[in-house]
Amino acid sequence: QVLLVESGGDSVEAGGSLRLSCEISGDGYTGYYRAAWFRQRPGLEREGVAMIDNYATENYADSVKGRFTISEVRNRLSLEMNALKSEDTAVYYCACAVKRRALSRSWLESDSYDYWGQGTQVTVSS
């Protein structure tokens, strides 16, 4: 079993910054093929925000490119969010894929990830 625990969600004003963290742990956890941040905005479906794979390749949704940065150090997945906009308001989830088969699918497909965190709320006021 793999456990993901997010932290760092908060309320900020537009233009501000936040850093989300996700601690990955669990018996038998030996690493991921992909780790990602998703978000679910009010009234919308869950969407991919950023992904990092086991080669340290990064991918970002167009809506956050240049503003968000994903990183991972010692099983701590982070999302640095700058120049926040009201449309970034959402519950943010971290996820990881520990099976190689995930690499054959788009990183945006949420069901290609095996484990999820509980979510952390980010609210950006304009």
Side-chain angles (χ1 to χ4, degrees):
Q1 185 69 20
V2 178
L3 184 64
L4 284 72
V5 180
E6 299 107 335
S7 61
D10 206 343
S11 297
V12 296
E13 293 186 353
S17 299
L18 277 177
R19 185 179 183 89
L20 304 183
S21 295
C22 173
E23 297 287 341
I24 307 174
S25 63
D27 293 340
Y29 176 67
T30 57
Y32 58 81
Y33 284 95
R34 284 178 178 164
W37 288 94
F38 282 71
R39 68 185 180 188
Q40 188 159 16
R41 294 183 281 179
L44 299 177
E45 294 185 355
R46 192 174 297 188
E47 60 179 351
V49 175
M51 181 279 293
I52 187 167
D53 68 17
N54 57 332
Y55 294 102
T57 300
E58 300 170 20
N59 276 291
Y60 297 91
D62 288 343
S63 60
V64 306
K65 280 181 182 176
R67 300 189 297 123
F68 290 13
T69 303
I70 191 171
S71 61
E72 186 271 331
V73 177
R74 295 179 182 176
N75 294 333
R76 173 177 287 185
L77 184 70
S78 298
L79 185 68
E80 185 74 31
M81 305 187 294
N82 297 310
L84 283 162
K85 306 175 182 179
S86 58
E87 52 263 44
D88 294 319
T89 294
V91 178
Y92 284 73
Y93 300 88
C94 61
C96 70
V98 300
K99 298 174 183 175
R100 186 176 181 84
R101 65 187 181 192
L103 298 180
S104 65
R105 301 180 62 183
S106 167
W107 72 271
L108 295 169
E109 295 180 78
S110 59
D111 61 356
S112 69
Y113 295 85
D114 303 295
Y115 298 99
W116 291 81
Q118 81 287 355
T120 186
Q121 176 70 47
V122 172
T123 302
V124 184
S125 58
S126 57

